[in-house]
Amino acid sequence: MFSHVHIQNLRQYPGRVVTLKGWVVSAVPAGEGGMLLTVRDGTGQVRCIVSSRDIPPDQWDAARNLTPESSLAVTGKVLDGAAGQELKVTGIGLYQAAPPLVASPSPEAHWHLWARTPEGQALLRIRNAAGKDIRDYFDWNGYVQVEMAERTVARGFGPGAACRLDAAAPALGKVFSIAPVQRDSGGGPAAGWDVEARIAFAGIEDAMNVAEDFLSYLVHRLATEQADDLRTLGRNPVPLNFVKAPFPRPAHDDPPSPAAPERPVFLNRPPALPADALVRRDAQGRALSFDIFAPEGFGWIGAGAEYETGLETLSRQLRESGGPVPDWYLDLSRYGAAPRAGFAVSLDLFLRWFAGSR
């Protein structure tokens, strides 16, 4: 399939001559007429031993002037070194010489280049694993992934928050999505990505139980699979083993500090506000909703609720909110109305907490 070998597969070619293609991590002189190159290709890094005796003069001249992030093809014999496979170079082909890198004050300033660092690569691998693990969790638990056109611009629990999953839950029972979100009605770019679930014939306690099980699974699975990447980021994976059920579930009017425990906190049943137009309320006028706070002082990462399905009550709450009354959403209360609950977790905020970044 490829005309070259990927670094992660070098162990399959002991003593053979192969060609690698990638980018220079470092180029260090090693004695008279020698150089040590470190090359990466996205699957790993390898040390390449270069000698002026083994390659043509023009290639040696190019090797001596290599800079980090220069792209190249390297041909050589695979050897067993003290730290794994090495390559004794017999040929170098330069694709592009990179100018010296300029130090950036933050990852955001030059994210496109920062992503190539070990830390950037680690975060991208963790995010990739999270996407797979999220789908595995919901697949194994009988959920159907739903990707339908958004009905509205805003998200959350306000009158503009009616989303595709509310319509899909009565059709399929248990549904989820991983989708870009927009947290206001301004029509601007997406604010990030949410993992969202809806469950038919469920209440707020069911939603908290599922969110608790989902987060416990996701943290433990990622901490096991991506332990090396977490260490690259300076994050000790061991304390993440304490993120397990049960999570504290204090009422909104009597909360402990969300930053205190080592587990997430579900702060639930706040006083209902007009913005909670879609949320069911209890006899005391509290919204049957909850906010999810990550531990270690990180803060809010998601929310959930039990939704109002009574047609008259829902219509009244929507009118009182001052927002539009979407006919299609009211149809959910006209045709086979049943209890419905769900939750949403910000994937971006979750990963920032998980990876130990702020």
Side-chain angles (χ1 to χ4, degrees):
M1 182 179 295
F2 294 99
S3 61
H4 60 281
V5 173
H6 289 97
I7 291 171
Q8 68 178 2
N9 297 326
L10 278 180
R11 64 177 62 90
Q12 302 174 17
Y13 300 89
R16 294 174 58 181
V17 175
V18 301
T19 296
L20 308 176
K21 295 182 179 180
W23 297 266
V24 174
V25 176
S26 63
V28 181
E32 185 67 27
M35 178 168 290
L36 295 178
L37 290 181
T38 301
V39 175
R40 63 170 177 83
D41 68 356
T43 72
Q45 295 187 2
V46 65
R47 189 170 79 158
C48 302
I49 304 168
V50 185
S51 171
S52 60
R53 298 187 299 271
D54 298 329
I55 60 176
D58 60 327
Q59 294 184 21
W60 172 244
D61 289 339
R64 288 191 303 162
N65 294 294
L66 286 172
T67 52
E69 295 307 315
S70 296
S71 54
L72 77 172
V74 184
T75 299
K77 185 176 182 180
V78 179
L79 306 176
D80 287 328
Q85 280 68 41
E86 297 179 339
L87 203 69
K88 184 173 177 58
V89 177
T90 58
I92 294 177
L94 184 63
Y95 285 105
Q96 185 187 55
L101 284 173
V102 178
S104 60
S106 67
E108 292 79 11
H110 294 96
W111 188 91
H112 55 294
L113 297 178
W114 178 82
R116 305 184 189 189
T117 66
E119 294 79 11
Q121 291 173 326
L123 280 175
L124 291 175
R125 283 191 293 265
I126 289 172
R127 191 179 185 102
N128 173 69
K132 179 182 181 301
D133 292 343
I134 290 166
R135 289 180 175 86
D136 283 347
Y137 175 84
F138 287 112
D139 285 346
W140 293 337
N141 286 281
Y143 288 72
V144 178
Q145 185 170 5
V146 174
E147 301 299 342
M148 298 165 59
E150 287 286 0
R151 293 287 185 169
T152 61
V153 182
R155 299 293 290 273
F157 297 118
C163 76
R164 59 191 179 276
L165 293 187
D166 288 301
L172 298 167
K174 298 190 294 185
V175 294
F176 80 101
S177 73
I178 307 173
V181 297
Q182 202 168 328
R183 303 192 190 281
D184 58 50
S185 57
W193 290 73
D194 272 8
V195 181
E196 197 162 358
R198 291 289 189 279
I199 312 158
F201 299 101
I204 183 174
E205 293 297 330
D206 301 303
M208 287 194 286
N209 289 341
V210 174
E212 179 181 77
D213 189 57
F214 165 69
L215 288 171
S216 297
Y217 162 86
L218 187 58
V219 170
H220 282 254
R221 181 89 178 266
L222 283 174
T224 300
E225 294 174 336
Q226 307 301 128
D228 289 342
D229 285 323
L230 287 171
R231 294 187 184 97
T232 296
L233 295 167
R235 174 70 145 152
N236 183 357
V238 174
L240 294 171
N241 292 322
F242 295 100
V243 180
K244 56 185 177 181
F247 296 169
R249 300 182 182 183
H252 193 277
D253 55 2
D254 187 28
S257 170
E262 71 278 359
R263 294 167 292 168
V265 170
F266 292 164
L267 188 60
N268 65 91
R269 293 176 170 82
L273 301 173
D276 300 313
L278 306 183
V279 178
R280 189 180 175 193
R281 301 170 189 183
D282 65 12
Q284 288 72 44
R286 296 172 298 190
L288 296 182
S289 64
F290 59 98
D291 289 295
I292 305 171
F293 291 88
E296 304 171 312
F298 184 87
W300 185 94
I301 60 170
E306 178 179 341
Y307 297 96
E308 181 58 60
T309 56
L311 181 58
E312 292 184 4
T313 302
L314 180 60
S315 298
R316 174 176 51 80
Q317 290 180 183
L318 283 165
R319 287 195 302 271
E320 291 174 352
S321 73
V325 181
D327 287 339
W328 77 267
Y329 193 85
L330 293 178
D331 276 349
L332 302 180
S333 296
R334 293 188 180 103
Y335 299 97
R340 183 176 71 254
F343 65 90
V345 173
S346 167
L347 181 57
D348 305 272
L349 293 178
F350 169 83
L351 290 175
R352 282 176 55 190
W353 163 73
F354 179 82
S357 59
R358 289 290 187 266

